[in-house]
Amino acid sequence: MASSSVPTSVSPSTEHVFSVEGHDQLQLQLSSEDRQRITERTKWVLDSPDPPGFRQEILGSIRNAVCSKKNKKPNATHEPPLACVMAFLSSVFPILNWGREYKVSMFKNDLLSGLTLASLCIPQSIGYAALAQLKPQYGLYTSVVPPLIYSTMGTSRELAIGPVAVVSLLISAMCSKVVNPMADPVSYNKLVFTVTFFTGAFQTLFGLFRLGFLIDFLSQAAIVGFMAGAAIVIGLQQLKGLLGISHFTTKTDVVSVLIAVVKSFHDSWYPQNFILGCSFLIFILITRFIGKRNKRLFWLPAIAPLVSVILSTLIVYLTKGDEHGIKIIKHFKGGLNPSSVNQLEFNSPHLRESVKIGLVCAIIALTEAVAVGRSFATIKGYNMDGNKEMIAMGFMNIAGSMSSCYVATGSFSRTAVNFSAGCQTAVSNIVMAITVLISLQLLTGLLYYTPVAILASIILSALPGLINYTEAYNIWKVDKLDFLACAGAFFGVLFASVEMGLMVAVAVSFAKIILNALRPRVEELGRLPGTDIFCEVDQYPVAQAVPSVLIIRLNSGLLCFTNANPLRDRILKWVTEENGKEATKRPISGIILDMSSVTNIDYAGILALEETNKKLLSGGIKLAIASPRWQVIHKLKVAKFVDKVGRDCIFLTVCEAVDSFVGSKFNGPSNC
């Protein structure tokens, strides 16, 4: 089938000389200059230094997470100890960097932003504490200590720190299954503080060891579905306060909540709660609509919750509504955050549950905060250090667990208000925390007559921002498997539990990763006419296959035990199919594996390459490796695979491998 002579299209500038042996093999005698060039580049690949080991990578990750690259001067090998200490402190506490450039004119904007933030934060914090089944003061405590610590260690200028709806729901849903907050509130508080400690510990470890990729196991699609489901669950939970129901279910699934609501109608309930709550809910939504239409009135929706609390409290006080069935907050403790160090339980029988809940809260809290912080940092045009954010949030939650706080993170609604108010730095968080602290000292007694229905209406008004219909529709259009994760998280939260929704989302995300790992794409490459560029022939039909050589790209980041054998079988089957085609004039004499996409390889992957090489050699086919990455070529050398396949079969680029096999160069720019 092979022809006895081969037409050439070699440019006059090349010095390639062809010799043909039989029907099936084309050999090329390269010029001494070309041979020397390829040999020299092969040495670049094979003689590269060893990559850092596991220990160096871990220590380097910690060093890079703690020490800022900005503080590393190339020529400063012998810096004074004091300078090293200051560089370390500036890296851990970014406030020492931007604080030097802070101006009085900036404080004016931060003061306004902080006060506006506090007006929204105070009523929301009380409402979120109720959602977490904690007393109102714990929500306010959480808006004091964590924001103060974050303002010194965080890298985001706009992120508003405090309790949020989704994390409060997680605390309520998961902790109440371990300890009943109604039957034993003291033990429940201890459990929540211990969970907060472990949340901070996990967040700190994520930052120190650069484990932020763990957050990515919850894909954006899963987060969209989880947030939407959580928003509906939170809304249904607020029916207890909105309707003034005394006995309500502790379960979070929609069926249990609706059954509890229907049963409550058979008991005595007072419609005044519903009327009062809905009236102020409409008021808050109207102010939000006005604020969106007129950006100058950004402060109107921000102060609407506080105005609602003040007006509703006055109405109940003047009309003595508490005597007519309107449920009120009553007295709650004010003052400075009391220490809760003695309430942390590390020898408790519930320690395992505390660790598990802390891990879930750490991932959800970080996911929300980092996403919110990065979105506003992009708008402002600066970079937010994700690892430092994790460390900052970890430390603030550890400190919070010791000062009567529960899990805090970045709030999207309050961050948007902070941004709209024109904040310049994290000083707005400091102003907000001081304002909340003053309120704890002086104003808690004035909230005695605040209706519970108002807190429910404030939480309900914040929920529409958690449901993103547009993004869910885009996910459906782009990737159906991603949408499956989104829908799984949504329905899992809605009809089972918060934990089940998370488990479904993670399971679908893992399934997608495993599916891609087990079935990576293997593409045949061809040369674009007139160039030295090799592209996938399926994507570029004009790409021309190289005679007698099969060029294959492994589109997988990892060649490992999960995909090594399927890839080996696919390559061998491909060779058989190519040689069996009737149109084939010359059988395959060489295989070039483009491994530019493979960043790492394990022992099973190396064994698969060795088996592939043996079977190809038995059929008179030579195997070449092109563009191996650093870790890959290092492991191939250690495993002696390079010696088995031959040093002359390792190439820097696909182009050089083709030249070595065939030598048919096209005129055109060299883009290898």
Side-chain angles (χ1 to χ4, degrees), residues 12 63 67 84 132 165 203 252-253 260 280 311-312 323 332 343 349 361 377 419 432 453 505 554 564 588 626 655:
R63 191 182 303 112
C67 301
C84 294
Q203 290 173 332
T252 59
D253 63 283
F280 282 98
L311 292 179
S312 62
E323 298 178 2
F332 66 89
Q343 299 187 56
C361 289
F419 174 79
M432 178 200 70
L554 306 181
I588 300 298
C655 184

Side-chain angles (χ1 to χ4, degrees), residues 166-370:
V166 174
V167 174
S168 300
L169 175 66
L170 278 174
I171 294 288
S172 173
M174 301 182 76
C175 290
S176 61
K177 291 182 179 180
V178 181
V179 177
N180 191 328
M182 304 299 295
D184 193 356
V186 175
S187 297
Y188 181 78
N189 289 348
K190 291 180 179 180
L191 177 64
V192 171
F193 296 148
T194 308
V195 165
T196 303
F197 177 87
F198 283 115
T199 298
F202 279 119
Q203 290 173 332
T204 304
L205 289 175
F206 290 165
L208 287 176
F209 293 101
R210 294 181 174 268
L211 300 177
F213 67 89
L214 293 175
I215 300 174
D216 296 331
F217 281 125
L218 272 178
S219 64
Q220 181 62 22
I223 291 295
V224 169
F226 175 78
M227 290 293 186
I232 295 176
V233 168
I234 292 169
L236 292 173
Q237 289 286 322
Q238 299 316 301
L239 292 176
K240 176 184 178 182
L242 201 62
L243 299 174
I245 301 172
S246 300
H247 303 287
F248 204 67
T249 179
T250 57
K251 296 180 180 179
T252 59
D253 63 283
V254 61
V255 177
S256 299
V257 172
L258 292 178
I259 290 174
V261 171
V262 172
K263 287 183 177 179
S264 68
F265 289 133
H266 298 294
D267 302 327
S268 58
W269 67 287
Y270 300 92
Q272 296 94 322
N273 293 281
F274 182 75
I275 295 172
L276 189 65
C278 286
S279 299
F280 282 98
L281 175 60
I282 294 171
F283 166 71
I284 294 172
L285 294 177
I286 290 174
T287 58
R288 184 169 298 172
F289 176 76
I290 295 173
K292 287 183 178 180
R293 295 292 297 271
N294 190 343
K295 297 299 182 183
R296 295 181 180 179
L297 298 176
F298 68 89
W299 52 269
L300 188 59
I303 67 169
L306 184 60
V307 172
S308 300
V309 169
I310 295 172
L311 292 179
S312 62
T313 303
L314 286 174
I315 291 172
V316 173
Y317 175 74
L318 295 175
T319 62
K320 297 182 179 180
D322 57 313
E323 298 178 2
H324 297 86
I326 295 180
K327 292 189 175 295
I328 58 175
I329 293 178
K330 298 183 180 179
H331 177 74
F332 66 89
K333 186 179 177 181
L336 295 174
N337 291 41
S339 173
S340 57
V341 175
N342 295 331
Q343 299 187 56
L344 297 176
E345 295 184 320
F346 301 114
N347 296 320
S348 168
H350 307 307
L351 183 62
R352 181 177 297 180
E353 288 81 2
S354 300
V355 174
K356 182 186 75 172
I357 299 171
L359 177 60
V360 173
C361 289
I363 293 175
I364 294 298
L366 281 177
T367 301
E368 183 172 0
V370 172

